[in-house]
Amino acid sequence: MRLYEELLHFFIVIGEHNNQIEHKLSAQKTPQQKAYDKKFDLVAEYIGQHYMEPVSLEDLAAFAGFSKYHISRIFKAYYQTSLPEYITSVRISKAKELLENPDLSIMDVAFQSGFLSLSSFNRTFKQRNNCTPSQFRKMFDYFPA
């Protein structure tokens, strides 16, 4: 019990230290960096609301008020991933949620997650999760035996 208590205390101290560092870094940001933070939060929110639709670089650039080259470069710097990879991650995350519903077919999950074809959904899901959507569903007993 004492070890558990010490571990909890350790993680609390690390968390508080991390928050202090983030606060100091945030205070050092220029007004332009803070404006970019807000814009990219809005871009991420936009993607979260429109992941079912084809989301183009041009649409996001227009939404954010940047050129498509600028938003692509800055997005990668903010999120350490490309815009298409980020959108795919959002779609796969939504697909995992939808796979919890055994009443939805794999095809329904694919289309409701924003994939344009079942084959691209299956391929992408398998690349990201090392299993097919059907296998994922079975691993967690989403279908009754």
Side-chain angles (χ1 to χ4, degrees):
M1 208 50 182
R2 179 77 178 139
L3 180 61
Y4 178 72
E5 182 181 328
E6 290 296 323
L7 277 172
L8 278 177
H9 178 71
F10 173 75
F11 288 122
I12 289 170
V13 169
I14 288 177
E16 289 172 351
H17 182 68
N18 188 40
N19 284 339
Q20 290 173 357
I21 290 171
E22 284 182 19
H23 181 71
K24 286 178 185 177
L25 290 174
S26 180
Q28 294 173 355
K29 287 185 176 183
T30 66
Q32 183 182 17
Q33 289 171 322
K34 289 178 183 180
Y36 276 17
D37 286 350
K38 287 180 184 177
K39 280 196 179 191
F40 280 99
D41 287 345
L42 290 174
V43 167
E45 188 177 313
Y46 178 90
I47 292 168
Q49 293 171 351
H50 297 275
Y51 66 88
M52 287 179 59
E53 307 161 15
V55 179
S56 73
L57 182 59
E58 289 81 8
D59 292 339
L60 287 173
F63 175 78
F66 294 128
S67 75
K68 64 182 183 178
Y69 306 106
H70 188 63
I71 193 170
S72 182
R73 186 174 50 81
I74 300 296
F75 189 93
K76 189 160 189 163
Y78 267 76
Y79 293 106
Q80 285 76 49
T81 188
S82 69
L83 194 50
E85 285 293 316
Y86 182 85
I87 295 168
T88 300
S89 294
V90 170
R91 289 176 174 159
I92 292 294
S93 178
K94 185 61 178 176
K96 286 179 174 180
E97 289 176 29
L98 292 171
L99 285 167
E100 293 179 21
N101 182 350
D103 296 331
L104 289 175
S105 70
I106 300 295
M107 186 177 292
D108 289 338
V109 170
F111 294 133
Q112 289 182 29
S113 302
F115 288 89
L116 300 178
S117 74
L118 183 58
S119 62
S120 70
F121 171 62
N122 284 328
R123 181 179 57 254
T124 304
F125 193 94
K126 188 168 185 173
Q127 287 172 343
R128 298 280 178 118
N129 298 289
N130 297 319
C131 66
T132 66
S134 299
Q135 292 167 333
F136 180 85
R137 199 174 237 177
K138 288 176 186 174
M139 277 192 311
F140 297 99
D141 294 324
Y142 292 136
F143 276 146

